[in-house]
Structure formats: structure tokens, C-alpha cells
Amino acid sequence: MRKHTYLFLSLVFLFSCAFAQDKATEKPQGHTDQNKFRQMKDVLATPNETRTASGAPGHAYTQQQVDYVMNLRLDENKSQIFGDEKITYHNNSKDYLEYLWIQLDQNMRAKDSKSPDINSESFNAAFNSAGSFAKANLKEKFDGGFNIEYVKNEDGSDLSFMINRTMMRVNLAKPLAPGETFKFQIKWWYNVNNHILDGGRSGYEAFPDGNNTYVIAQFYPRLCVYDNVEGWQNMQFWGRSEFALEFGDFDVKITVPADHLLEATGVLQNRKECFTKEQMKRYEKATKSFKDPVFIVSQEEAEKAETTKSTKQKTWHFKAKNVRDYAFATSRKFIYDAMAVDINGRSVMAISLYSKEGNPLWEEHSTRVVANTLEEYSKLTFDYPYSKAISVHAQMGMEYPMICFNYGRPNPDGTYSERLKRGMIGVITHEVGHNFFPMIINSDERQWTWMDEGLNSFVEIIAELDYDPNFITGNLPKDIVPYMGGDQNFISPIMSQGDYVHKFGPNAYTKPAAALYMLRETIMGRELFDYAFRTYSQRWMFKHPTPADFFRTMEDASAMDLDWFWRGWFYTTDYTDIGVKGVKQYYLTDQPTEAAKKTAKRYNMDLATYKDKLVYYAEIEEGKKPENAKSVSDFKFLTDYIEELPEEEKARLKDAPKYFYEVTFEKPGGLVMPIILEIAYEDGTKERKTFPAQIWRYNEKEVKKVFRTDKAITGFTIDPEFETADVDTSNNAWPKKVEVNSFDKFKQKVKG
């Protein structure tokens, strides 16, 4: 070993000992592992035969199947739905089932519903307008809810059942054994709600011309999920957190007025009976049009249909295989356009139904947005497997297999704002995207809203930006700053059941979408993220994933330990706040500095004996020029050392630095995140450097980095593109540039 190297290592050892000696004087305190990078073994379910440690379904994974044969009739005059269904329940589990649980979601609207009673209500003792007074004090409660006429066995004999609000337990005469099926039937009816007046995820809208448009869902008693994780998922439906459902096959006949136009989940079996010859001709043309939508029913034809009401009826017959739910839309007011979409060589139909009140906005964008959504989601997940995707004009946003209801209504004169257009494009993209999450990747919406809303909102960003590169998505990291920097009393972790979350939208939609966007763009990179995300999607298509399955798959398919990210972003309400605490500048000198003298005194070193053998770093005092500054070439012992190096090693040496900066980074926020640093030089150039989140693994409060350069640095800026949702940018730059944090700016903007 060369003597210069030995001398250097000896000094490093001495300084390390000094640090250790100082630490040894502190009394250690016992504690559990609270490091932000600890593994998530304490919060994730233990892997087993049904769900593997890799995040994939295990060899013993099972799920039930439920098949429905339904006959439905709409009474347009009374706005009532009548139905009967024959249900075949396949027990694919390894368990004996003593009873079946059925969802009765319409019971949330029953007169004796407890849903309104769970909300706090204060009295406005000041004043009321006529409308608000009437709504609060005079309006009679809507008489909704299922009227169950019977529940019978396959042979027609009565079947024992009990209704508990939005759940119905069907009692079996004997336990249903593994591998067996059980067939039974239910008959029911209910009053359809006006979703404009009474709200709701489905219902009808009444127009001044005397016609209604119906968007119908949650209209039939449907089986709850029985799975390997929860057993029966029979949490009550309070109106917010959505649904957990089994896959199955549907055979559905829907009888409506003969002049209605109808679309629904599934493949239409009797199109020639339901369409005119001209409509059939146009539809065939649409199946070959991959560029522009084709009108099956034009606005002129729809307006003509509005003027009369048929007294006859027509039955539409649909079949759907391997879907988790069913919905339909019907009206004589509908315009109908469609076009084909090429999904990896297979044609899928993009369809829109809308009344004239939606134009010109809907005919310009709806079907094109449907097509774009199918294309972009398929790229990041799997090829869209169904035959069609339908967008229906309604004053809401809601999703079901192959069909969704979307808002976006221009002014009566047909004008609309850019904001309204963006809102409509966004909601159609989002609701059509739900075909992937959770209609196919069938997560439990009642428990984990973010698994469908958050993942969907993330992919929505990509689809929207493909449709319009200048689209304002509202789901980027910078968009979640006001929420994450807000009052902690009204913030919940993402991993919260949705019924008790204060700010539902930011919690279930924006924050998880922004988190995944960060993973893709900032932490993992697109190649790693996309492969892992696609792996998760394909592993769990037509199955029931849990959060643990998603977290584990993303790590399993990428070779990245992301436990720190899931724990921080999904299990806590911590926020990002990283700043530049201080910058020290140094120069080289051959004169001992005060710091060197103190170290020498501690170890009884005589620095005189090391003359011409040591390089000293002197700190530049602010506002002063360095004294006795030297360059590397001024130190003969250093140049001699370099000359002694083998040629191969010498060739790898870079130019000697002239400037030295020690930057101290602080982290007032609770989240560990990468440090994204932009370095500005005096010659006007800039350099970007990213330090992984693991830089905080030893000290999550403060870390330091040394920058050695041949150019003078004029500034450091953290997260210049707002990639990490940093809630306070006042500490993000040196020299300090920003005097107010981004959340305060947001509040000022709102006030203004």
C-alpha cells in the first residue's frame, strides 16, 4: 500500500473514531423499528395458497360465479321497473355455505331507509329561500326501495329469506357444498327515482317536452361476493362506497315502449327486430368506420320521435358473458352514433347515446373519446375483451360493464365553455376506463375505493393527454398539494373505507392517481412501471384483487422495494416537504483551518509534521473572497501521488474540481421521497440530479451531499417541475427565491 493512501485512510479512521466517541456518550433508548424503509410484513396479509407472496393468485384461489336470466319491463307512465330473475349460484369455494347474501341497493331509497339518518344536520335559523325551504320542510320523501314479491326455489316453492336494510339473506334448507350449484328465483318491482331531483347513480331525467331518458342500474337483487379474504362481503350500502360483485353470464330481456332506443350490457340478440332496415344499414357501416362516428339515429330523427308516444311495446334481448353487473339506458329522445375501434386487430364498437340537449358537444367528442380510452387503457393493461363500450348522456357520472352514464350539457343555445368540454371529456374517459377498473380487474369498491377510482384516475391521465396534449387533468402531483397540506382533522389515509372519509374525492381519486403518476415518472421510470402495472392487470383480470396483491405485484415485477412508498402514501397522511437548509462553499488551501486545528488537538497531532502532506478545505464566509486559495496543481505531494498511479487508473481520473459545495437538505414533511435537484451554473447551464428516496434511510430529518465542480454554482432548486407534491416550496431553493408556499398560493388564488 502506498504511503499516501495509508496516511489518508488513517485520517479517515481517526475522524470516524471521533464521531463514534461522541455518539457513545449518549445513553441509548430502546425502541421498535420506526424507520420509514422498514418492510410491510406487519400490515400486509400473510401469503397463502390463495394469494402468493408475489402478488399473484395462488394455486388454491377460487371465486364464485353467478348467472342471471332476467325479464324486465319499464312502465314509462309510472316510471316503475318490474322484473323477475332466475339465479344460478355456483359454489366454487372449498366451503359449505349455509346461506346466500344478496344486495338490495335500491333500499337505500326506501321510506324507512337509515341512510339519511347517519348524516349530521344543523338548523338554519337565519333564513331560507323558497326553494331551499320547500326542499327542507315540504318535500315528501321519495318512496323508493325494492318491493320483493317472492323468493322461490327452482321448483316454485317458497324460500326462506330475511331483509336487513340493503342486504337480504336467503336461508338454504341445507348447506351448499363445494362444487354444487343452487338455483332460485326472485320477483320484484320498484319506483324509479328522478336522479335530477333526488340524486342517485341511476334513474330518469324528465324533460320539458314530456319525455324521459332512463339510465338504469342497481335495479335487480344481485349476489354479494364470497371470497378467500372476507368470506361474505355484505357491508351495508349507505350511498357512497360502491359495489363488490361476482362474475357471471346474463340473459336479459327488456321490454320498453316501441319507439324507445335502448342500449345495454351485452350483445344484442335481435337487432333486426329492434332496428329499422335503414338503421341496420347504418350500423353495418359503423362497424367498418374506424375514423369517424356514423349516425344510426340522427338528431333530426330523434327530434321527430320526441313528438309522439307509442302505445306499443318492444322487447330487446341481450346476452353477456363473464360480466360482474348489468345496466341499460332507454329513451325515444336518443341520438345514436357509433364507430369501430381497432384493439390489437380486433374490432370493438364505440357507441354514444344522447339527447339533442347534449349537442353539439356530444356528437363532436363522445364516441371519439370512448375509442381513445379503449385504445390507451388497452396499451397499459390488456386488450379490451368486450364487444362494445357505450357512453350515455346523463347528468351524472357512473359506470357499469360496457356502458356508462356521463354528464356534460351545453347551454340551451348550444354554446359551451372550454371548462365544460374538458369536464365532459374527462368524465367519459374516466367512466369508460372503469371497464378495466373494476369491471374486469374486479376489486372490492365497498372496502377499497382507491383500487378502482385511484388506479382508473391514473390511467385516465395518460388517455386524456393522448386525446389532447394540453389537457388539464387535475390528477397530477401538483394538484394534490392543497389537500395534503390542509387540515389533518379532515384527511384520511388512502387505505380507509370510503364511508367515513371526509374529503372523498382527493382521498380516493386524486391522491392515489398522483402517487402512481409519481411512481411512473419519477421513482420507477416508465419501462419498469408499465411492465409491473401490466403484470398486475393481467394477473387479476376477471378476478378479485386486494391492495396487498397490487403492492406485491408492483414490486415482484420490477425488482424495486417500494414498501416505503406504499406505507407513506397509502397508510399515512404524511406529506412531502423537502428543502435546502443550507449551503457551505469551500476552497482548497495549504494553511491549517480552525477545524483542522481542533481535530489535531483532540488527537495530539502536530500539524507541522504534516506540512506539505495535507490538503485543507476552508469555508468561504458569505460576502468575502477566499484567502490563500489554491488549485490542485499547487499541491506537489498530490500531483506526485497522481503521477505514481498506473496509466490505466490515471486515465480514469477526471479534471480536478475548482469549487466545493456542501448542501444540507432538510425534510420537515413526514414522507420520504427522492430529492430532485436542479443545479444552476454561472455560465447559464443547468444540470438535473435525482437522489433516491433511500438517501433518508439513516437520518430522515437531514442529509448532506457534496458537489465538486469546475464551474461555479449559482443556485440549487428542489423539485423544479413539482413532481413530488411538495406542500411548501418556500424552502426549495438556494439562494431563497420563493417566499410563500404553494398551498398558500392556492388559497390566495381562490380568494382572488
Side-chain angles (χ1 to χ4, degrees):
M1 181 182 289
R2 283 187 286 276
K3 61 181 180 178
H4 300 95
T5 305
Y6 179 79
L7 175 64
F8 172 73
L9 293 175
S10 299
L11 291 173
V12 170
F13 175 74
L14 286 173
F15 294 145
S16 300
C17 289
F19 174 76
Q21 185 175 1
D22 289 341
K23 296 293 287 184
T25 61
E26 301 175 6
K27 289 186 178 181
Q29 299 291 322
H31 62 277
T32 59
D33 185 1
Q34 295 300 311
N35 191 285
K36 294 294 177 70
F37 294 92
R38 67 191 186 278
Q39 296 295 287
M40 289 177 63
K41 306 286 193 299
D42 58 328
V43 294
L44 298 185
T46 303
N48 53 45
E49 293 179 334
T50 66
R51 293 168 192 275
T52 68
S54 68
H59 67 86
Y61 173 86
T62 63
Q63 67 185 44
Q64 312 294 64
Q65 178 176 333
V66 190
D67 301 328
Y68 300 85
V69 176
M70 288 192 280
N71 291 286
L72 311 171
R73 178 173 64 85
L74 168 66
D75 184 332
E76 185 180 29
N77 294 324
K78 296 181 179 180
S79 285
Q80 293 176 330
I81 295 283
F82 296 84
D84 63 74
E85 60 185 338
K86 295 180 180 178
I87 303 171
T88 303
Y89 188 87
H90 303 257
N91 183 14
N92 297 325
S93 76
K94 305 298 182 184
D95 306 324
Y96 286 80
L97 304 181
E98 301 171 87
Y99 42 75
L100 307 179
W101 278 104
I102 293 176
Q103 302 182 54
L104 301 177
D105 306 296
Q106 290 296 331
N107 281 2
M108 192 202 80
R109 301 191 170 279
K111 277 198 169 183
D112 62 351
S113 171
K114 294 294 183 181
S115 292
D117 297 341
I118 68 173
N119 297 318
S120 176
E121 182 183 18
S122 58
F123 188 74
N124 183 358
F127 51 78
N128 271 145
S129 66
S132 60
F133 180 87
K135 184 176 182 180
N137 301 293
L138 304 180
K139 185 177 179 182
E140 184 180 354
K141 187 175 180 181
F142 175 70
D143 186 13
F146 282 110
N147 297 277
I148 303 295
E149 294 192 10
Y150 64 68
V151 180
K152 294 180 179 292
N153 284 295
E154 183 183 19
D155 61 8
S157 60
D158 289 338
L159 189 56
S160 171
F161 67 93
M162 187 277 296
I163 295 176
N164 176 16
R165 300 179 187 173
T166 62
M167 292 291 163
M168 178 168 69
R169 189 185 66 232
V170 173
N171 305 311
L172 303 181
K174 65 174 184 176
L176 184 62
E180 288 187 349
T181 61
F182 179 70
K183 296 182 178 182
F184 63 110
Q185 48 193 326
I186 304 174
K187 187 176 183 180
W188 77 94
W189 68 272
Y190 72 92
N191 294 313
V192 181
N193 57 296
N194 182 323
H195 67 78
I196 302 298
L197 299 179
D198 300 314
R201 299 165 188 273
S202 68
Y204 72 89
E205 178 179 2
F207 288 85
D209 58 26
N211 291 294
N212 298 337
T213 58
Y214 292 86
V215 286
I216 303 299
Q218 287 87 247
F219 64 88
Y220 63 102
R222 50 195 186 157
L223 267 295
C224 296
V225 166
Y226 183 85
D227 67 16
N228 309 125
V229 178
E230 296 286 335
W232 284 109
Q233 167 48 291
N234 54 5
M235 296 175 70
Q236 292 289 334
F237 178 48
W238 294 104
R240 173 189 277 182
S241 295
E242 292 175 353
F243 314 107
L245 298 161
E246 300 284 13
F247 287 104
D249 298 339
F250 286 74
D251 187 330
V252 183
K253 294 178 179 178
I254 311 170
T255 300
V256 296
D259 54 354
H260 271 216
L261 190 66
L262 187 147
E263 262 293 3
T265 304
V267 178
L268 181 58
Q269 303 297 298
N270 59 338
R271 189 177 300 279
K272 289 183 179 180
E273 297 173 20
C274 297
F275 277 20
T276 66
K277 290 183 178 180
E278 182 60 30
Q279 289 169 353
M280 282 296 301
K281 182 179 177 181
R282 295 171 183 174
Y283 185 83
E284 288 300 320
K285 181 180 178 182
T287 63
K288 300 176 176 61
S289 175
F290 291 87
K291 185 178 180 182
D292 295 307
V294 174
F295 284 101
I296 315 304
V297 175
S298 69
Q299 179 167 334
E300 182 181 1
E301 291 166 336
E303 289 177 347
K304 183 178 179 181
E306 290 177 351
T307 61
T308 60
K309 287 188 177 181
S310 175
T311 57
K312 297 180 180 180
Q313 294 184 323
K314 182 188 296 183
T315 298
W316 300 64
H317 184 195
F318 293 87
K319 289 185 179 181
K321 299 188 74 65
N322 208 19
V323 295
R324 61 162 244 168
D325 201 1
Y326 201 91
F328 66 93
T330 182
S331 177
R332 65 179 54 83
K333 287 178 64 67
F334 282 148
I335 303 164
Y336 185 130
D337 71 48
M339 64 182 286
V341 190
D342 184 352
I343 302 297
N344 200 21
R346 188 174 63 86
S347 291
V348 173
M349 295 304 295
I351 299 169
S352 293
L353 273 65
Y354 48 97
S355 63
K356 67 177 186 296
E357 286 79 6
N359 266 341
L361 187 57
W362 271 67
E363 71 176 39
E364 291 173 355
H365 291 286
S366 178
T367 300
R368 290 183 173 88
V369 174
V370 174
N372 179 74
T373 304
L374 296 179
E375 291 170 345
E376 294 307 306
Y377 275 68
S378 294
K379 291 175 185 176
L380 204 57
T381 57
F382 45 75
D383 290 350
Y384 181 71
Y386 296 135
S387 63
K388 64 183 179 183
I390 310 157
S391 169
V392 183
H393 182 43
Q395 294 289 60
M396 67 173 79
M398 197 57 204
E399 72 280 355
Y400 303 93
M402 306 184 211
I403 187 169
C404 56
F405 314 145
N406 305 303
Y407 63 78
R409 183 160 296 173
N411 299 317
D413 63 359
T415 61
Y416 55 85
S417 66
E418 185 66 21
R419 181 177 181 180
L420 179 69
K421 184 185 82 171
R422 285 201 309 268
M424 189 204 79
I425 292 171
V427 74
I428 294 176
T429 302
H430 183 87
E431 306 305 346
V432 173
H434 271 308
N435 277 288
F436 296 81
F437 309 93
M439 300 303 149
I440 297 171
I441 305 167
N442 191 18
S443 57
D444 181 351
E445 300 178 88
R446 188 69 50 87
Q447 290 265 16
W448 309 118
T449 308
W450 70 268
M451 286 197 74
D452 70 292
E453 300 295 358
L455 270 63
N456 184 37
S457 295
F458 158 68
V459 187
E460 177 190 344
I461 298 172
I462 299 169
E464 287 167 344
L465 291 175
D466 182 79
Y467 191 80
D468 177 0
N470 298 313
F471 197 89
I472 301 173
T473 73
N475 288 320
L476 297 175
K478 63 182 177 62
D479 299 315
I480 200 61
V481 167
Y483 171 70
M484 296 186 70
D487 187 344
Q488 284 284 330
N489 291 316
F490 299 98
I491 300 176
S492 302
I494 291 174
M495 288 290 291
S496 300
Q497 201 273 332
D499 287 331
Y500 59 78
V501 170
H502 282 282
K503 298 184 178 181
F504 187 68
N507 174 273
Y509 294 68
T510 314
K511 185 179 176 183
L516 295 178
Y517 189 85
M518 271 183 272
L519 270 186
R520 186 178 193 248
E521 301 295 329
T522 303
I523 295 168
M524 298 177 70
R526 292 185 180 183
E527 183 177 2
L528 276 178
F529 179 93
D530 289 359
Y531 182 86
F533 194 77
R534 193 175 295 110
T535 298
Y536 164 74
S537 301
Q538 294 181 5
R539 279 179 175 178
W540 289 99
M541 62 187 301
F542 298 113
K543 294 183 176 67
H544 302 300
T546 67
D549 299 320
F550 176 69
F551 298 149
R552 284 171 166 152
T553 296
M554 291 300 293
E555 297 188 23
D556 180 67
S558 67
M560 290 195 72
D561 179 5
L562 298 169
D563 280 17
W564 60 273
F565 187 83
W566 309 130
R567 189 186 289 275
W569 276 92
F570 287 77
Y571 285 87
T572 79
T573 61
D574 285 341
Y575 52 83
T576 306
D577 183 10
I578 299 173
V580 179
K581 185 176 182 180
V583 177
K584 292 182 179 180
Q585 303 176 60
Y586 292 88
Y587 63 93
L588 302 181
T589 179
D590 57 2
Q591 300 300 311
T593 62
E594 290 302 316
K597 292 175 183 178
K598 288 180 180 179
T599 302
K601 184 177 181 181
R602 182 182 301 170
Y603 296 102
N604 295 318
M605 293 172 58
D606 182 2
L607 291 178
T609 62
Y610 292 92
K611 183 176 175 57
D612 297 329
K613 295 180 180 179
L614 294 176
V615 177
Y616 300 100
Y617 297 94
E619 184 178 353
I620 299 175
E621 296 183 33
E622 189 173 354
K624 293 186 178 180
K625 292 185 178 181
E627 298 179 1
N628 302 313
K630 302 289 184 180
S631 65
V632 171
S633 60
D634 292 327
F635 296 90
K636 186 175 184 305
F637 78 93
L638 186 56
T639 55
D640 289 346
Y641 169 78
I642 294 172
E643 285 301 318
E644 292 178 16
L645 293 174
E647 289 302 318
E648 182 180 353
E649 190 172 347
K650 193 186 301 183
R652 297 173 58 189
L653 295 179
K654 60 183 180 180
D655 293 338
K658 298 178 182 178
Y659 303 92
F660 302 85
Y661 302 83
E662 181 192 76
V663 181
T664 301
F665 300 100
E666 62 179 351
K667 191 180 68 62
L671 291 179
V672 289
M673 288 293 287
I675 299 175
I676 305 171
L677 189 66
E678 185 177 83
I679 306 168
Y681 297 98
E682 64 177 353
D683 64 359
T685 60
K686 292 182 178 180
E687 179 185 3
R688 187 73 59 88
K689 176 73 176 176
T690 298
F691 301 98
Q694 283 76 7
I695 194 173
W696 304 102
R697 69 195 185 283
Y698 295 132
N699 184 346
E700 66 160 297
K701 299 297 182 184
E702 182 177 295
V703 295
K704 297 180 179 181
K705 293 298 292 186
V706 175
F707 297 86
R708 306 163 178 86
T709 176
D710 60 349
K711 298 187 293 185
I713 294 176
T714 57
F716 294 99
T717 302
I718 290 177
D719 196 10
E721 302 297 329
F722 306 103
E723 297 177 55
T724 64
D726 195 316
V727 304
D728 182 0
T729 57
S730 66
N731 59 354
N732 281 29
W734 175 87
K736 193 170 183 178
K737 300 174 184 176
V738 184
E739 298 298 332
V740 61
N741 70 33
S742 51
F743 184 54
D744 285 339
K745 282 183 176 180
F746 174 82
K747 290 189 290 187
Q748 290 173 5
K749 182 178 179 181
V750 171
K751 283 184 179 180

